[in-house]
Amino acid sequence: MRPLSEDEFATLFKKLSKYIGDNCRYLLERSDKQYCFRYHRDRVYYCSEDLMKKSASIGRKNIVSLGVCFGKFTKTGKFRLHVTALDYLAQYARYKLWVKPSAELSFLYGNNVLKAGLGRITENTPQYQGVVIFSMADTPLGFGVMARSTAECRNLGPEEIVCFHQADLGEYLREEDTIV
């Protein structure tokens, strides 16, 4: 476990700001405890500083996971968010999209959101903006990137893509071997 370098930290916050914007600072400036990001085996973990200090007595080879895995760095240096960060993304999301009950299962199988499955959307969502996808009962299902802006979505046909799939809760079952 080590702290993130400045480049890694900038890459992480650039990716997080696509989904939660300026609310990134609330991840580190919490009122209950001090939290931090740690790097371990190409993955970034979000944990309390108390937990991080306690883990210092454990050898690096013996640590499998610590806190919440936010994602991993690829071999090319890019950061890829994991579905395990969904609870924090949903809490601080700037732009949201709600899918109809008939489209929930399709999204959870890894498909993009179509216009026919769009329930509601945050006003003035720009194209290629990161959004958190909710069910109509306000349960976070995953996250994605808008294929069209809110204004363009009003004039689309029912079979056109509104949001590109990035991650969903179904990944816990589909990728259970590689998620940690």
Side-chain angles (χ1 to χ4, degrees):
M1 286 284 176
R2 68 168 174 81
L4 296 173
S5 69
E6 286 186 28
D7 292 339
E8 292 166 342
F9 198 76
T11 305
L12 169 67
F13 269 72
K14 183 178 177 185
K15 180 64 95 168
L16 283 175
S17 67
K18 284 181 121 178
Y19 293 93
I20 61 178
D22 295 335
N23 295 335
C24 291
R25 67 174 184 269
Y26 296 129
L27 291 172
L28 297 175
E29 299 171 3
R30 293 179 52 165
S31 60
D32 53 347
K33 289 183 181 178
Q34 289 284 69
Y35 277 77
C36 60
F37 288 101
R38 289 289 180 236
Y39 182 90
H40 183 63
R41 296 184 185 165
D42 293 332
R43 299 195 190 295
V44 175
Y45 294 94
Y46 179 67
C47 63
S48 68
E49 291 201 3
D50 296 339
L51 183 62
M52 190 253 324
K53 289 176 184 173
K54 289 176 184 175
S55 72
S57 63
I58 302 171
R60 284 187 182 180
K61 293 189 317 188
N62 297 333
I63 294 178
V64 176
S65 176
L66 179 72
V68 177
C69 180
F70 257 57
K72 68 180 248 179
F73 281 97
T74 63
K75 293 182 180 185
T76 59
K78 295 179 181 173
F79 186 74
R80 184 175 188 278
L81 277 172
H82 282 185
V83 69
T84 50
L86 180 62
D87 289 338
Y88 294 99
L89 293 178
Q91 189 176 6
Y92 299 115
R94 269 184 17 197
Y95 298 105
K96 301 176 182 182
L97 183 143
W98 289 265
V99 292
K100 293 178 181 174
S102 60
E104 285 179 22
L105 204 54
S106 175
F107 178 74
L108 292 174
Y109 283 143
N111 298 319
N112 297 325
V113 178
L114 303 177
K115 170 71 159 93
L118 179 65
R120 292 186 314 209
I121 189 169
T122 307
E123 282 297 317
N124 301 324
T125 305
Q127 188 175 16
Y128 305 122
Q129 174 65 46
V131 293
V132 177
I133 297 161
F134 290 87
S135 68
M136 292 305 276
D138 282 334
T139 305
L141 300 176
F143 52 90
V145 176
M146 289 297 295
R148 311 286 171 98
S149 66
T150 305
E152 293 172 342
C153 288
R154 292 187 179 106
N155 303 324
L156 292 178
E159 294 301 315
E160 294 194 49
I161 296 174
V162 172
C163 181
F164 297 120
H165 174 272
Q166 295 287 313
D168 63 79
L169 292 176
E171 287 183 21
Y172 282 115
L173 297 175
R174 291 193 306 270
E175 299 178 15
E176 64 183 313
D177 295 336
T178 60
I179 204 157
V180 176

